[in-house]
Amino acid sequence: MTSTHQRAQLQEQLDPAGTVLLTVECQEGVVGRDSALPELATAARASGALRNVARLVSAAHEADVQVVHAVAERRPDGRGANNNARLFRAAARLPVQQHSGSTAVRIAAPIEVADQDLVVRRLHGLSPLAGTDVDPLLRNLGCRTLVVTGVSANVAVPNAVFDAVNLGYTVVVPGDAIAGVPADYTPAMIRHTLALVSTVATTDEVLDCWKSPRRVTRA
């Protein structure tokens, strides 16, 4: 994003009064030190994506931008969980399980969860939005623009972006605040897919828009 027009457009899209920051599966069992998916966790940390998510969350707290954390978890007995794709069956065999109430489903460091943040947990599916409370919560919050961050660029992040666009939200993707595997897949996904349906920016560009926001107290 280089032109003055593009920067102005991003500033308008990211007005704190109508913006929500969504973190996707930034949980200990996915991107933490004891991840069930060590390759993905390494990519999220080595690329700086996890650190950038933490920076965005911190800035959102300062700018009165609502933060929503989308967490994927599973009951120990597996009730209600999907079994209709190879991904789900493979996840069920991993040594670290995303069991409800376990350390694996806590938001991972260095991301800090504030009292005003919303944490939405799902027991099924691939999307943080489809079939969860996220969409009605966004509408009740007056959200117009959803900033999507987290993992993975392979599955959950594009699901979130597509669902948000289909539901009528404007989506901003800080490209350096998402990660997938292999590492070179993420920029390809951004360039050839996400850029077609969302505004792609950098973490620093988003932070610049929130430096001196028009503060609005949410009801």
Side-chain angles (χ1 to χ4, degrees):
M1 182 170 298
T2 57
S3 74
T4 301
H5 172 71
Q6 288 173 317
R7 287 194 294 271
Q9 183 182 51
L10 183 65
Q11 182 80 56
E12 182 179 0
Q13 289 175 339
L14 293 175
D15 178 359
T19 299
V20 171
L21 173 65
L22 179 71
T23 76
V24 178
E25 296 183 25
C26 292
Q27 56 203 75
E28 289 289 350
V30 177
V31 296
R33 300 296 181 186
D34 298 317
S35 170
L37 304 164
E39 185 181 2
L40 178 58
T42 297
R45 292 179 177 276
S47 67
L50 187 60
R51 180 176 62 86
N52 284 332
V53 174
R55 293 172 64 207
L56 288 162
V57 169
S58 178
H61 293 156
E62 290 293 321
D64 292 331
V65 172
Q66 179 67 53
V67 178
V68 176
H69 304 282
V71 174
E73 57 184 52
R74 179 186 177 94
R75 284 171 52 113
D77 61 10
R79 286 181 182 271
N82 288 67
N83 192 36
N84 57 338
R86 185 161 59 100
L87 175 65
F88 299 121
R89 294 189 291 273
R93 297 192 298 269
L94 291 173
V96 177
Q97 290 292 303
Q98 315 298 321
H99 285 163
S100 301
S102 70
T103 301
V105 297
R106 295 178 186 170
I107 302 301
I111 299 168
E112 295 186 359
V113 180
D115 290 341
Q116 67 268 27
D117 292 2
L118 298 173
V119 180
V120 179
R121 304 178 183 278
R122 76 178 195 274
L123 294 173
H124 62 86
L126 300 169
S127 173
L129 275 75
T132 74
D133 288 337
V134 171
D135 178 40
L137 290 173
L138 295 180
R139 296 189 186 282
N140 289 346
L141 290 164
C143 177
R144 297 185 298 275
T145 298
L146 186 65
V147 181
V148 178
T149 67
V151 296
S152 72
N154 304 75
V155 179
V157 167
N159 263 265
V161 173
F162 293 148
D163 285 345
V165 171
N166 285 332
L167 289 166
Y169 300 101
T170 294
V171 178
V172 173
V173 176
D176 55 356
I178 67 172
V181 290
D184 59 0
Y185 178 76
T186 300
M189 164 59 77
I190 292 170
R191 179 178 179 182
H192 298 293
T193 302
L194 300 185
L196 303 178
V197 295
S198 66
T199 298
V200 176
T202 66
T203 293
D204 286 342
E205 287 170 337
V206 174
L207 296 181
D208 284 344
C209 291
W210 289 343
K211 275 184 178 177
S212 300
R214 175 173 59 85
R215 291 184 176 269
V216 174
T217 301
R218 294 180 184 272

